[in-house]
Amino acid sequence: MRKLLEEYNTGKITWDEAYLIANNNAATASEVGNTEEVEYWTHLMNELGVELADQFMKTLGYKQNKSGAFFKPGDN
């Protein structure tokens, strides 16, 4: 199966292209009853969602500590 997250992370496709492909593939797999493929594509959609949320947090000025928790510099 296609590795959309890898394609997105290497800049071969945009975030919205990756999400659209995963969403459409999950819907198609669901129509034919292929639960294994549905799980694969929905897992990728979840990972892309987390990636987007991380980007938003960084855009809003948050930083991440060593454990991955976000914090706003200057806040106590």
Side-chain angles (χ1 to χ4, degrees):
M1 281 186 260
R2 194 167 172 184
K3 296 180 179 180
L4 294 177
L5 198 57
E6 184 178 309
E7 290 180 42
Y8 165 70
N9 286 330
T10 58
K12 293 179 182 174
I13 59 174
T14 63
W15 182 92
D16 55 320
E17 289 174 310
Y19 195 88
L20 181 66
I21 292 166
N23 180 65
N24 290 346
N25 287 346
T28 301
S30 178
E31 287 177 359
V32 297
N34 188 337
T35 56
E36 188 175 304
E37 272 199 48
V38 171
E39 289 177 14
Y40 174 79
W41 295 115
T42 54
H43 177 74
L44 276 176
M45 291 167 61
N46 182 56
E47 287 191 32
L48 285 164
V50 169
E51 183 73 27
L52 185 62
D54 284 352
Q55 288 177 26
F56 279 137
M57 293 298 285
K58 291 173 184 171
T59 299
L60 293 171
Y62 288 84
K63 304 288 181 194
Q64 282 184 293
N65 64 19
K66 291 178 185 177
S67 65
F70 282 100
F71 66 95
K72 186 88 170 192
D75 286 352
N76 293 332

Coordinates of all heavy atoms in Angstrom, one line a residue:
M1 N 0.8 -1.2 0.0 CA 0.0 0.0 0.0 C 0.9 1.2 0.0 O 2.0 1.2 0.5 CB -0.9 0.0 1.2 CG -2.1 -0.9 1.0 SD -3.3 -0.8 2.4 CE -2.8 -2.3 3.3
R2 N 0.3 2.3 -0.5 CA 1.0 3.5 -0.6 C 1.4 4.1 0.7 O 0.6 4.1 1.7 CB 0.1 4.5 -1.4 CG 0.9 5.7 -1.9 CD 0.0 6.4 -2.9 NE 0.6 7.7 -3.2 CZ 0.0 8.6 -4.0 NH1 -1.2 8.3 -4.5 NH2 0.6 9.7 -4.3
K3 N 2.6 4.6 0.8 CA 3.1 5.2 2.1 C 3.0 6.8 2.0 O 3.9 7.5 1.8 CB 4.6 4.8 2.3 CG 4.7 3.3 2.5 CD 6.2 3.0 2.8 CE 6.3 1.5 3.0 NZ 7.6 1.0 3.2
L4 N 1.7 7.2 2.3 CA 1.4 8.6 2.1 C 2.2 9.5 3.1 O 2.6 10.6 2.7 CB -0.1 8.9 2.3 CG -1.0 8.3 1.2 CD1 -2.4 8.5 1.6 CD2 -0.6 8.8 -0.1
L5 N 2.3 9.1 4.3 CA 3.0 9.9 5.3 C 4.5 10.1 4.9 O 5.0 11.2 5.0 CB 2.9 9.2 6.7 CG 3.2 10.1 7.9 CD1 2.3 11.3 7.9 CD2 3.1 9.3 9.2
E6 N 5.1 9.1 4.4 CA 6.5 9.3 3.9 C 6.5 10.2 2.7 O 7.4 11.1 2.6 CB 7.0 7.9 3.5 CG 8.5 7.9 3.0 CD 9.0 6.5 2.7 OE1 8.8 5.6 3.5 OE2 9.5 6.3 1.6
E7 N 5.6 10.1 1.8 CA 5.5 11.0 0.6 C 5.3 12.4 1.1 O 5.9 13.4 0.6 CB 4.4 10.6 -0.3 CG 4.7 9.3 -1.1 CD 3.5 8.9 -2.0 OE1 3.0 9.9 -2.7 OE2 3.2 7.8 -2.1
Y8 N 4.4 12.6 2.1 CA 4.2 14.0 2.6 C 5.4 14.5 3.3 O 5.8 15.7 3.1 CB 3.0 13.9 3.6 CG 2.9 15.2 4.4 CD1 2.5 16.4 3.9 CD2 3.2 15.1 5.8 CE1 2.5 17.5 4.7 CE2 3.2 16.3 6.6 CZ 2.8 17.5 6.0 OH 2.7 18.6 6.8
N9 N 6.1 13.7 4.2 CA 7.2 14.2 4.9 C 8.4 14.5 4.0 O 9.3 15.3 4.4 CB 7.6 13.1 6.0 CG 6.7 13.1 7.1 OD1 6.1 14.1 7.5 ND2 6.5 12.0 7.8
T10 N 8.5 13.9 2.9 CA 9.6 14.2 1.9 C 9.2 15.2 0.9 O 10.0 15.6 0.0 CB 10.0 12.9 1.2 OG1 8.9 12.3 0.5 CG2 10.6 11.9 2.2
G11 N 8.0 15.8 1.0 CA 7.6 16.9 0.1 C 7.1 16.5 -1.2 O 6.9 17.3 -2.1
K12 N 6.9 15.2 -1.4 CA 6.4 14.7 -2.7 C 4.9 15.1 -3.0 O 4.5 15.3 -4.1 CB 6.6 13.2 -2.9 CG 8.0 12.8 -3.0 CD 8.2 11.3 -3.1 CE 9.7 11.0 -3.1 NZ 9.9 9.5 -3.1
I13 N 4.2 15.2 -1.9 CA 2.8 15.6 -2.0 C 2.5 16.5 -0.8 O 3.2 16.5 0.2 CB 1.8 14.4 -1.9 CG1 1.9 13.5 -0.7 CG2 1.9 13.5 -3.2 CD1 0.9 12.4 -0.5
T14 N 1.4 17.3 -0.9 CA 1.0 18.2 0.1 C 0.2 17.4 1.2 O -0.3 16.3 0.9 CB 0.2 19.4 -0.4 OG1 -1.0 18.8 -1.0 CG2 0.9 20.1 -1.5
W15 N 0.0 18.1 2.3 CA -0.8 17.5 3.4 C -2.2 17.2 2.9 O -2.7 16.1 3.1 CB -0.9 18.4 4.6 CG -1.7 17.8 5.7 CD1 -1.1 17.1 6.8 CD2 -3.1 17.9 6.0 NE1 -2.1 16.7 7.6 CE2 -3.3 17.1 7.1 CE3 -4.1 18.4 5.3 CZ2 -4.6 17.0 7.6 CZ3 -5.4 18.3 5.8 CH2 -5.7 17.5 6.9
D16 N -2.9 18.2 2.2 CA -4.2 17.9 1.8 C -4.3 16.8 0.7 O -5.3 16.1 0.7 CB -4.9 19.2 1.3 CG -4.1 20.0 0.2 OD1 -2.9 20.0 0.3 OD2 -4.8 20.5 -0.7
E17 N -3.3 16.7 -0.1 CA -3.3 15.6 -1.1 C -3.3 14.3 -0.3 O -4.0 13.3 -0.7 CB -2.2 15.7 -2.0 CG -2.3 16.8 -3.0 CD -1.0 17.0 -3.9 OE1 0.1 17.1 -3.3 OE2 -1.1 17.1 -5.1
A18 N -2.4 14.2 0.7 CA -2.2 12.9 1.4 C -3.5 12.6 2.1 O -4.0 11.4 2.1 CB -1.1 13.1 2.4
Y19 N -4.1 13.6 2.8 CA -5.4 13.3 3.5 C -6.5 12.9 2.6 O -7.2 12.0 2.9 CB -5.8 14.5 4.3 CG -6.8 14.2 5.4 CD1 -6.4 13.7 6.7 CD2 -8.1 14.3 5.1 CE1 -7.3 13.4 7.6 CE2 -9.1 14.0 6.1 CZ -8.7 13.5 7.3 OH -9.6 13.2 8.3
L20 N -6.6 13.6 1.4 CA -7.7 13.3 0.5 C -7.5 11.8 -0.1 O -8.5 11.1 -0.2 CB -7.6 14.3 -0.7 CG -8.7 14.1 -1.8 CD1 -10.1 14.3 -1.2 CD2 -8.4 15.0 -2.9
I21 N -6.3 11.5 -0.4 CA -6.0 10.1 -0.9 C -6.4 9.1 0.2 O -7.1 8.1 -0.1 CB -4.6 10.0 -1.3 CG1 -4.3 10.8 -2.6 CG2 -4.2 8.5 -1.6 CD1 -2.8 11.0 -2.9
A22 N -5.9 9.3 1.4 CA -6.2 8.3 2.5 C -7.7 8.2 2.7 O -8.3 7.1 2.9 CB -5.5 8.8 3.8
N23 N -8.4 9.4 2.7 CA -9.8 9.4 3.0 C -10.6 8.6 1.9 O -11.5 7.8 2.1 CB -10.3 10.8 3.0 CG -11.8 10.9 3.3 OD1 -12.3 10.5 4.3 ND2 -12.6 11.4 2.3
N24 N -10.2 8.9 0.6 CA -10.9 8.2 -0.5 C -10.6 6.8 -0.5 O -11.5 5.9 -0.8 CB -10.5 8.9 -1.8 CG -11.1 10.3 -2.0 OD1 -12.0 10.7 -1.3 ND2 -10.5 11.0 -3.0
N25 N -9.4 6.4 -0.2 CA -9.0 4.9 -0.2 C -9.8 4.2 1.0 O -10.2 3.1 0.8 CB -7.5 4.7 0.0 CG -6.8 5.1 -1.3 OD1 -7.4 5.2 -2.4 ND2 -5.5 5.2 -1.3
A26 N -9.9 4.9 2.1 CA -10.7 4.3 3.2 C -12.1 4.1 2.9 O -12.7 3.1 3.2 CB -10.5 5.2 4.5
A27 N -12.7 5.1 2.2 CA -14.1 5.0 1.8 C -14.3 3.9 0.8 O -15.3 3.1 0.9 CB -14.6 6.3 1.2
T28 N -13.4 3.8 -0.2 CA -13.5 2.7 -1.2 C -13.3 1.4 -0.5 O -14.1 0.4 -0.8 CB -12.4 2.9 -2.3 OG1 -12.6 4.2 -2.9 CG2 -12.5 1.8 -3.3
A29 N -12.4 1.2 0.4 CA -12.2 -0.1 1.1 C -13.4 -0.4 1.9 O -13.8 -1.6 2.0 CB -10.9 0.0 1.9
S30 N -14.0 0.6 2.5 CA -15.2 0.4 3.3 C -16.4 -0.2 2.4 O -17.1 -1.1 2.9 CB -15.6 1.6 4.0 OG -16.8 1.5 4.7
E31 N -16.5 0.4 1.2 CA -17.6 0.0 0.3 C -17.5 -1.5 -0.1 O -18.5 -2.2 -0.2 CB -17.6 0.8 -0.9 CG -18.1 2.2 -0.7 CD -18.0 3.1 -1.9 OE1 -17.6 2.6 -3.0 OE2 -18.4 4.3 -1.9
V32 N -16.2 -2.0 -0.2 CA -16.1 -3.4 -0.6 C -15.9 -4.3 0.6 O -15.7 -5.5 0.5 CB -14.9 -3.6 -1.6 CG1 -15.1 -2.8 -2.8 CG2 -13.6 -3.1 -0.9
G33 N -15.9 -3.7 1.8 CA -15.8 -4.5 3.0 C -14.4 -5.0 3.4 O -14.3 -5.9 4.2
N34 N -13.4 -4.3 3.0 CA -12.0 -4.6 3.3 C -11.6 -3.9 4.6 O -11.0 -2.8 4.6 CB -11.1 -4.3 2.2 CG -9.7 -4.8 2.4 OD1 -9.3 -5.1 3.5 ND2 -9.0 -5.0 1.3
T35 N -11.9 -4.5 5.8 CA -11.7 -3.8 7.0 C -10.2 -3.6 7.3 O -9.8 -2.6 7.9 CB -12.3 -4.6 8.2 OG1 -11.8 -5.9 8.2 CG2 -13.8 -4.6 8.1
E36 N -9.3 -4.5 6.8 CA -7.9 -4.3 7.0 C -7.4 -3.0 6.4 O -6.6 -2.2 6.9 CB -7.1 -5.5 6.5 CG -5.6 -5.5 6.9 CD -4.9 -6.7 6.4 OE1 -5.4 -7.8 6.9 OE2 -4.0 -6.6 5.7
E37 N -7.8 -2.8 5.1 CA -7.4 -1.6 4.4 C -8.1 -0.3 5.0 O -7.4 0.7 5.1 CB -7.8 -1.7 2.9 CG -6.8 -2.3 2.1 CD -6.9 -2.0 0.6 OE1 -7.1 -0.8 0.3 OE2 -6.8 -2.9 -0.2
V38 N -9.3 -0.5 5.5 CA -10.0 0.7 6.1 C -9.2 1.1 7.3 O -8.9 2.3 7.6 CB -11.4 0.3 6.6 CG1 -12.0 1.4 7.4 CG2 -12.3 0.1 5.3
E39 N -8.7 0.1 8.2 CA -7.9 0.4 9.3 C -6.6 1.1 9.0 O -6.2 2.0 9.6 CB -7.7 -0.8 10.2 CG -8.9 -1.3 10.9 CD -8.7 -2.6 11.6 OE1 -7.5 -3.0 11.8 OE2 -9.7 -3.2 12.0
Y40 N -6.0 0.6 7.9 CA -4.7 1.2 7.5 C -4.9 2.6 7.1 O -4.1 3.5 7.5 CB -4.1 0.4 6.3 CG -2.9 1.0 5.7 CD1 -1.7 0.8 6.3 CD2 -3.0 1.7 4.5 CE1 -0.5 1.4 5.7 CE2 -1.8 2.3 3.9 CZ -0.6 2.1 4.6 OH 0.5 2.7 4.0
W41 N -5.9 2.9 6.2 CA -6.0 4.3 5.7 C -6.5 5.2 6.8 O -6.1 6.4 6.9 CB -7.0 4.3 4.5 CG -6.4 3.6 3.3 CD1 -6.9 2.4 2.8 CD2 -5.2 3.9 2.6 NE1 -6.0 2.1 1.7 CE2 -5.0 3.0 1.6 CE3 -4.3 5.0 2.7 CZ2 -4.0 3.0 0.7 CZ3 -3.3 5.0 1.8 CH2 -3.1 4.1 0.8
T42 N -7.4 4.7 7.7 CA -7.9 5.6 8.8 C -6.7 5.9 9.8 O -6.7 7.0 10.3 CB -9.1 5.1 9.5 OG1 -8.8 3.7 10.0 CG2 -10.3 5.1 8.6
H43 N -5.9 4.9 10.0 CA -4.7 5.2 10.8 C -3.8 6.3 10.2 O -3.3 7.2 10.9 CB -3.9 3.9 11.0 CG -2.6 4.1 11.8 ND1 -2.6 4.2 13.2 CD2 -1.3 4.1 11.4 CE1 -1.4 4.4 13.6 NE2 -0.6 4.3 12.6
L44 N -3.6 6.2 8.9 CA -2.8 7.3 8.2 C -3.5 8.6 8.4 O -2.8 9.7 8.6 CB -2.6 6.9 6.8 CG -1.5 6.0 6.4 CD1 -1.5 5.7 4.9 CD2 -0.2 6.6 6.8
M45 N -4.8 8.7 8.2 CA -5.6 9.9 8.4 C -5.3 10.5 9.8 O -5.2 11.7 10.0 CB -7.1 9.7 8.1 CG -7.4 9.4 6.7 SD -9.0 8.8 6.4 CE -10.0 10.1 7.0
N46 N -5.3 9.6 10.8 CA -5.1 10.0 12.2 C -3.7 10.6 12.3 O -3.5 11.7 12.9 CB -5.3 8.9 13.1 CG -5.1 9.3 14.6 OD1 -5.8 10.2 15.1 ND2 -4.2 8.6 15.3
E47 N -2.7 9.9 11.8 CA -1.3 10.4 11.8 C -1.2 11.8 11.1 O -0.5 12.7 11.6 CB -0.4 9.4 11.2 CG -0.2 8.2 12.1 CD 1.0 7.3 11.7 OE1 2.0 7.8 11.1 OE2 0.9 6.1 11.9
L48 N -1.9 11.9 10.0 CA -1.8 13.2 9.3 C -2.5 14.3 10.1 O -2.0 15.5 10.1 CB -2.5 13.1 7.9 CG -1.7 12.3 6.9 CD1 -2.6 11.9 5.7 CD2 -0.5 13.2 6.4
G49 N -3.5 14.0 10.9 CA -4.2 14.9 11.7 C -3.3 15.4 12.9 O -3.2 16.6 13.2
V50 N -2.5 14.5 13.4 CA -1.6 14.8 14.5 C -0.5 15.7 13.9 O -0.1 16.7 14.5 CB -1.0 13.5 15.1 CG1 0.2 13.8 16.0 CG2 -2.1 12.8 15.9
E51 N 0.0 15.4 12.7 CA 1.0 16.2 12.1 C 0.5 17.6 11.9 O 1.2 18.6 12.1 CB 1.4 15.5 10.7 CG 2.5 16.2 10.0 CD 3.8 16.0 10.6 OE1 4.1 15.0 11.2 OE2 4.7 16.9 10.4
L52 N -0.7 17.8 11.4 CA -1.3 19.1 11.2 C -1.4 19.8 12.5 O -1.1 21.0 12.6 CB -2.6 19.0 10.5 CG -3.3 20.3 10.1 CD1 -2.4 21.1 9.1 CD2 -4.6 20.0 9.5
A53 N -1.9 19.2 13.6 CA -2.0 19.8 14.9 C -0.7 20.3 15.4 O -0.6 21.4 15.9 CB -2.7 18.8 15.9
D54 N 0.4 19.5 15.2 CA 1.7 19.9 15.6 C 2.2 21.2 14.9 O 2.7 22.1 15.4 CB 2.7 18.8 15.4 CG 2.7 17.7 16.4 OD1 1.9 17.8 17.4 OD2 3.3 16.7 16.2
Q55 N 1.9 21.2 13.6 CA 2.2 22.4 12.8 C 1.5 23.6 13.3 O 2.1 24.7 13.3 CB 1.9 22.1 11.3 CG 2.8 21.1 10.6 CD 2.3 20.9 9.2 OE1 1.7 21.8 8.5 NE2 2.6 19.7 8.6
F56 N 0.2 23.5 13.6 CA -0.5 24.6 14.1 C 0.0 25.1 15.4 O 0.2 26.3 15.6 CB -2.0 24.3 14.3 CG -2.8 24.3 13.0 CD1 -3.7 23.3 12.8 CD2 -2.7 25.4 12.1 CE1 -4.5 23.4 11.6 CE2 -3.5 25.4 11.0 CZ -4.4 24.4 10.7
M57 N 0.4 24.2 16.3 CA 0.9 24.6 17.6 C 2.2 25.4 17.4 O 2.5 26.4 18.0 CB 1.2 23.4 18.5 CG -0.1 22.7 18.9 SD -1.2 23.8 19.9 CE -0.3 23.8 21.5
K58 N 3.1 24.9 16.5 CA 4.3 25.6 16.2 C 4.1 27.0 15.6 O 4.8 27.9 15.9 CB 5.2 24.7 15.4 CG 5.7 23.5 16.2 CD 6.5 22.5 15.3 CE 6.9 21.3 16.1 NZ 7.4 20.2 15.3
T59 N 3.1 27.0 14.7 CA 2.8 28.3 14.0 C 2.3 29.3 15.1 O 2.5 30.5 15.0 CB 1.7 28.1 13.0 OG1 2.2 27.2 12.0 CG2 1.2 29.4 12.3
L60 N 1.6 28.8 16.1 CA 1.1 29.7 17.2 C 2.1 30.1 18.2 O 1.9 30.8 19.1 CB -0.1 29.0 17.9 CG -1.4 28.8 17.1 CD1 -2.3 27.9 17.8 CD2 -2.0 30.1 16.7
G61 N 3.4 29.6 18.0 CA 4.5 30.0 18.8 C 4.8 29.1 19.9 O 5.7 29.4 20.8
Y62 N 4.2 27.9 20.0 CA 4.5 26.9 21.0 C 5.8 26.2 20.6 O 6.1 26.0 19.5 CB 3.4 25.9 21.2 CG 2.2 26.5 21.9 CD1 1.3 27.3 21.2 CD2 2.0 26.4 23.2 CE1 0.2 27.8 21.8 CE2 0.9 27.0 23.9 CZ 0.0 27.7 23.1 OH -1.1 28.3 23.8
K63 N 6.5 25.7 21.6 CA 7.7 24.9 21.5 C 7.5 23.6 22.1 O 6.5 23.4 22.9 CB 8.9 25.6 22.1 CG 9.2 27.0 21.7 CD 9.8 27.0 20.3 CE 10.1 28.4 19.9 NZ 10.3 28.6 18.5
Q64 N 8.3 22.6 21.8 CA 8.2 21.3 22.4 C 9.4 21.0 23.3 O 10.5 21.3 22.9 CB 8.1 20.2 21.3 CG 6.7 20.1 20.7 CD 6.6 18.9 19.8 OE1 7.2 19.0 18.7 NE2 5.8 17.9 20.1
N65 N 9.2 20.4 24.4 CA 10.3 20.0 25.3 C 10.8 18.6 24.8 O 10.3 18.0 23.8 CB 9.9 20.0 26.8 CG 8.8 19.0 27.1 OD1 8.6 18.0 26.4 ND2 8.2 19.2 28.3
K66 N 11.7 18.0 25.5 CA 12.3 16.7 25.1 C 11.3 15.6 25.1 O 11.5 14.7 24.3 CB 13.5 16.4 26.1 CG 14.7 17.3 25.9 CD 15.8 16.9 26.9 CE 16.9 17.9 26.8 NZ 17.9 17.6 27.8
S67 N 10.3 15.7 26.0 CA 9.3 14.6 26.0 C 8.2 14.8 24.9 O 7.3 13.9 24.8 CB 8.7 14.4 27.4 OG 8.0 15.6 27.7
G68 N 8.3 15.9 24.2 CA 7.3 16.2 23.2 C 6.1 17.0 23.6 O 5.2 17.3 22.8
A69 N 6.1 17.4 24.9 CA 5.0 18.3 25.4 C 5.2 19.7 24.9 O 6.3 20.2 24.9 CB 4.9 18.3 26.9
F70 N 4.1 20.3 24.5 CA 4.1 21.7 24.0 C 4.1 22.7 25.2 O 3.5 22.4 26.2 CB 3.0 22.0 23.1 CG 3.1 21.5 21.7 CD1 2.5 20.3 21.3 CD2 3.9 22.2 20.8 CE1 2.7 19.8 20.0 CE2 4.1 21.7 19.5 CZ 3.5 20.5 19.1
F71 N 4.8 23.8 25.1 CA 4.7 24.9 26.1 C 4.9 26.2 25.3 O 5.4 26.3 24.2 CB 5.8 24.7 27.1 CG 7.2 24.9 26.6 CD1 7.9 26.1 26.7 CD2 7.9 23.8 26.0 CE1 9.2 26.3 26.2 CE2 9.2 23.9 25.5 CZ 9.8 25.2 25.6
K72 N 4.3 27.3 25.9 CA 4.5 28.6 25.3 C 5.7 29.3 26.0 O 5.7 29.4 27.2 CB 3.2 29.4 25.6 CG 3.1 30.7 24.9 CD 2.6 30.6 23.5 CE 2.3 32.0 22.9 NZ 1.5 31.9 21.7
P73 N 6.7 29.6 25.2 CA 7.9 30.3 25.8 C 7.4 31.5 26.6 O 6.6 32.3 26.1 CB 8.7 30.7 24.6 CG 8.3 29.7 23.6 CD 6.9 29.4 23.8
G74 N 7.9 31.7 27.8 CA 7.6 32.8 28.6 C 6.5 32.6 29.6 O 6.3 33.3 30.5
D75 N 5.7 31.5 29.4 CA 4.7 31.2 30.4 C 5.3 30.3 31.5 O 6.2 29.5 31.3 CB 3.5 30.4 29.7 CG 2.7 31.3 28.8 OD1 2.8 32.5 28.8 OD2 1.8 30.7 28.1
N76 N 4.7 30.5 32.7 CA 5.2 29.7 33.8 C 4.4 28.5 33.9 O 3.4 28.3 33.7 CB 5.2 30.5 35.1 CG 6.2 31.7 35.0 OD1 7.2 31.6 34.3 ND2 5.9 32.7 35.7

